[in-house]
């Protein structure tokens, strides 16, 4: 018989339990962009998921109270940008409330369907939103990939334990 390590006392479900659990889950970092009525909007997301290969679809979560939600809630298209480990400051800028996300030093341009496309990322995709699903205090956005470029150089940026990190060998 082997000894079972003390796993600690179980906690009842709560926002703190979920946050604590997912701080231990390393996730890739993306920036989601859209064209809003007052100009480009964007936010940092770690909830990006591949959904379907046929048709090519992905999903991401966005807080219903986020400053970008009004634009995302009505946008037909979004940009999805997978960041490289050299882009921790860009991720922090798009995560920071009140930041000038599209000012210098962010390099971007208008892409397909007028979507803001950030330069220098590992991958960028322009997607057509096909559904917005209520999920608690967030919305899950399902989007079909229309066009993109996966040829950026470098290694992915990860979010873990509340900070942005690169991969380690």
């Amino acid at each position: 018989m082997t000894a079972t390590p003390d796993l600690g006392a179980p906690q009842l479900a709560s926002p703190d339990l979920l946050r604590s659990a997912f701080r231990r889950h390393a996730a890739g970092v993306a920036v989601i962009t859209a064209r809003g009525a007052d100009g480009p909007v964007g936010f940092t997301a770690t909830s990006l998921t591949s959904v379907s290969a046929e048709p090519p679809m992905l999903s991401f979560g966005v807080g219903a109270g986020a400053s970008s939600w009004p634009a995302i809630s009505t946008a037909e298209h979004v940009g999805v940008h997978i960041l490289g480990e050299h882009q921790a400051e860009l991720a922090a800028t798009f995560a920071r409330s009140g930041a000038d996300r599209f000012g210098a030093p962010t390099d971007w341009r208008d892409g397909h369907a007028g979507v803001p496309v950030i330069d220098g990322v590992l991958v960028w995709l322009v997607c057509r939103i096909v559904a917005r699903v209520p999920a608690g205090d967030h919305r899950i956005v399902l989007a079909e990939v229309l066009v993109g470029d996966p040829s950026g150089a470098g290694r992915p940026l990860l979010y873990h334990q509340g900070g942005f990190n690169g991969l380690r060998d």
Side-chain angles (χ1 to χ4, degrees):
M1 178 180 223
T2 60
T4 303
D6 181 14
L7 298 178
Q11 298 177 27
L12 293 176
S14 70
D16 285 339
L17 172 61
L18 190 65
R19 283 198 254 332
S20 293
F22 276 87
R23 276 189 202 105
R24 295 175 177 263
H25 174 70
V29 180
V31 166
I32 310 298
T33 62
R35 175 67 56 190
D38 297 325
V41 300
F43 64 96
T44 300
T46 58
S47 61
L48 183 65
T49 304
S50 172
V51 172
S52 168
E54 288 295 329
M57 291 182 71
L58 55 81
S59 70
F60 60 88
V62 56
S67 62
S68 297
W69 173 242
I72 300 292
S73 73
T74 61
E76 293 183 28
H77 298 88
V78 291
V80 176
H81 308 82
I82 298 174
L83 303 188
E85 64 186 358
H86 63 286
Q87 294 176 306
E89 187 54 41
L90 180 69
T93 297
F94 276 82
R96 194 169 30 253
S97 180
D100 182 5
R101 296 171 177 156
F102 291 91
T106 303
D107 290 325
W108 66 280
R109 58 193 157 76
D110 286 327
H112 182 79
V115 171
V117 173
I118 299 171
D119 294 326
V121 296
L122 296 185
V123 177
W124 65 262
L125 304 166
V126 173
C127 307
R128 180 179 60 84
I129 294 177
V130 297
R132 296 169 185 89
V133 181
D137 62 356
H138 276 62
R139 301 297 180 264
I140 305 302
V141 177
L142 295 168
E144 181 179 4
V145 177
L146 300 177
V147 63
D149 182 358
S151 66
R155 294 162 51 128
L157 182 64
L158 300 177
Y159 185 76
H160 182 253
Q161 293 287 15
F164 298 112
N165 303 282
L167 285 175
R168 295 192 184 100
D169 292 328

